[in-house]
Amino acid sequence: MRAAVCARAGGPEVLEIRELPVPSVREGWSLVRVMGAGLNRSELRTRQGHSPNVRFPRVLGIECVGTVAASTDAALPVGQTVAAVMGEMGREFDGGYAEYALLPNSLLMPVSTTLTWDVLAALPETYLTAQGSLDALGIVPGAAGRLLIRGGTSSVGMAAASIASAYGLRTAATTRRREKAGALTAAGVDHVLLDDGGSDGGSLADDVRGIWPEGPDHILDLIGTATVPDSLKLVRRGGTVCVSGSLSGWLIREFEPIAMIPPGTKLTAFHSDSLKGAAGAPVLQRVVDEVQAGVYRPNVDRVFDLGDIAEAHRYMENDQATGKVVVLPHTEF
C-alpha cells in the first residue's frame, strides 16, 4: 500500500511516499480502507517535532473515513462505512495518511451516508470539535444569542459558523485576511471582522462593540492562548469563552484567574478526544444527516492526492486554506 511516512521532524519535505505492507488485523483492531483523510494543524506540529511522545518514522493523520476491509468485531462488518478520530492515531500508532489503516475497534464510528468521500472526510474532526465547542458554550438550537468566532476561517471556525447559523444565532467571525470575508459570509456569518491577531485587541474590541455594544454572549476562541485574556474582556459580563484551538500555543503566560476572568464570566474548553469512538458516533451521524439535508454547509477548500501530501502540508502551513483540506489516498476516487 502507499503511505505518507513522516521520516523525521522537519519541513513538509520529510513526508515521504513509501510502499508499506498492508497491516494484518489483530484482536481488538480492524483494517480500514482509507477513502479520505482531513488534514489538521496538530499534524503539522507533530511533523515539525512539537509532539515529544511521537517516534519517527510515523504515518501521521488523526482522522480518516473509509470502509472496513477486515474486521475483528461483529458490529463492524466488512464494507461498513466508518470514521475515526483521535485516540492517538498518527501518534502512538500509524494514522490516516495511507491507503489502509489498522485501527482500534473502539475508535471506529459506523456512518450511514450518501456523501462523497471528499465531503465526508472533511467532517469528523472538524465538525465534532465545532459541535462539542458549541455544546460547551451552552448553545442549543433555537436559542437567542450572539456568538463571536475567533479564527473564523479555520476549518473548525467555518464548521461552527455553519452550525450556529442553522441554530439561528447571530454570529460574527474574525479573519486576518480581507479576501477571506466572502467565505465566512457564505458559511452564514452575519458580521465579518478583521483581526490582526494582536494581543491588545484594540481595533477588534471597537469593531465588536460597534455591532454588539454589550459584547457577544459567547466567544469560541480558536486562536488560543495568545487571545484568551482579550476574549475574556470582549465577552459580555456573565458570558462564556470556550477555548478549542491552540494556533498560538498551549500556555497562557502569567495567567491570573482572579484578575483576568471578570466576575460572573465563564471560561471553558473543548478537546475533540472526548468525542471519539462510541461517544462521537451519534454526534457525527447527526452532522452527516444535516449536511445531506443541506442544513449545514461544509467547506472543502482543496482536495489533494496522497502523493501530494508535502504540497498539502505546505499549503496548510502557509495559511492558504479557508476551510478544510482533504487528502484522498485512492486516485481512482
Side-chain angles (χ1 to χ4, degrees), residues 264-276:
T265 298
K266 295 171 282 294
L267 174 63
T268 187
F270 178 79
H271 191 281
S272 58
D273 201 49
S274 62
L275 280 180
K276 64 179 183 289

Side-chain angles (χ1 to χ4, degrees), residues 151-221:
T153 53
S154 66
S155 59
V156 175
M158 300 285 284
S162 178
I163 297 172
S165 176
Y167 278 11
L169 267 75
R170 289 170 287 168
T171 58
T174 69
T175 178
R176 292 180 296 172
R177 299 186 179 183
R178 189 179 301 274
E179 65 271 20
K180 293 188 174 185
L184 287 171
T185 301
V189 172
D190 299 308
H191 306 280
V192 179
L193 307 176
L194 294 179
D195 184 5
D196 61 9
S199 59
D200 59 4
S203 60
L204 178 62
D206 293 339
D207 291 342
V208 171
R209 302 301 179 199
I211 57 172
W212 298 326
E214 296 180 358
D217 303 292
H218 319 279
I219 294 180
L220 173 54
D221 197 324

Side-chain angles (χ1 to χ4, degrees), residues 23-45:
S24 299
V25 297
R26 62 179 186 267
E27 187 63 30
W29 297 61
S30 292
L31 184 67
V32 174
R33 187 181 192 221
V34 178
M35 304 305 293
L39 267 61
N40 300 277
R41 296 193 74 89
S42 65
E43 296 150 2
L44 185 155
R45 291 194 292 273

Side-chain angles (χ1 to χ4, degrees), residues 43-329:
E43 296 150 2
L44 185 155
R45 291 194 292 273
T46 296
R47 190 210 74 217
Q48 293 170 334
H50 301 310
S51 300
N53 294 332
V54 174
R55 297 291 176 261
F56 301 110
R58 172 64 70 206
V59 176
L60 303 182
I62 66 169
E63 65 172 319
C64 69
V65 298
T67 58
V68 176
S71 177
T72 61
D73 186 340
L76 298 166
V78 171
Q80 171 69 55
T81 298
V82 292
V85 298
M86 301 298 290
E88 296 303 316
M89 282 179 63
R91 297 169 61 85
E92 287 190 3
F93 54 89
D94 287 344
Y97 289 13
E99 292 182 318
Y100 290 88
L102 184 65
L103 301 173
N105 294 332
S106 60
L107 281 188
L108 298 182
M109 298 179 283
V111 179
S112 175
T113 181
T114 59
L115 296 175
T116 58
W117 290 116
D118 57 334
V119 174
L120 183 62
L123 301 182
E125 172 68 11
T126 293
Y127 267 82
L128 288 177
T129 301
Q131 184 65 68
S133 299
L134 296 184
D135 291 345
L137 284 165
I139 295 173
V140 297
R146 300 159 295 188
L147 169 68
L148 172 63
I149 304 169
R150 303 196 69 170
T153 53
S154 66
S155 59
V156 175
M158 300 285 284
S162 178
I163 297 172
S165 176
Y167 278 11
L169 267 75
R170 289 170 287 168
T171 58
T174 69
T175 178
R176 292 180 296 172
R177 299 186 179 183
R178 189 179 301 274
E179 65 271 20
K180 293 188 174 185
L184 287 171
T185 301
V189 172
D190 299 308
H191 306 280
V192 179
L193 307 176
L194 294 179
D195 184 5
D196 61 9
S199 59
D200 59 4
S203 60
L204 178 62
D206 293 339
D207 291 342
V208 171
R209 302 301 179 199
I211 57 172
W212 298 326
E214 296 180 358
D217 303 292
H218 319 279
I219 294 180
L220 173 54
D221 197 324
L222 299 170
I223 300 173
T225 54
T227 51
V228 167
D230 177 54
S231 291
L232 289 167
K233 297 176 185 176
L234 279 175
V235 74
R236 71 162 176 81
R237 185 66 65 89
T240 305
V241 174
C242 178
V243 185
S244 299
S246 58
L247 298 178
S248 56
W250 298 100
L251 300 176
I252 303 176
R253 303 295 179 186
E254 300 178 353
F255 182 60
E256 301 179 37
I258 294 176
M260 293 182 176
I261 303 177
T265 298
K266 295 171 282 294
L267 174 63
T268 187
F270 178 79
H271 191 281
S272 58
D273 201 49
S274 62
L275 280 180
K276 64 179 183 289
V283 181
L284 180 59
Q285 186 63 60
R286 187 168 72 246
V287 166
V288 168
D289 293 343
E290 296 285 33
V291 172
Q292 289 178 167
V295 178
Y296 295 169
R297 294 165 283 181
N299 185 286
V300 180
D301 179 89
R302 188 170 171 184
V303 178
F304 289 85
D305 177 74
L306 181 64
D308 299 319
I309 190 65
E311 181 186 350
H313 261 240
R314 193 171 291 111
Y315 183 78
M316 180 171 57
E317 194 164 359
N318 291 337
D319 294 325
Q320 292 175 269
T322 304
K324 192 71 170 182
V325 177
V326 170
V327 166
L328 300 183

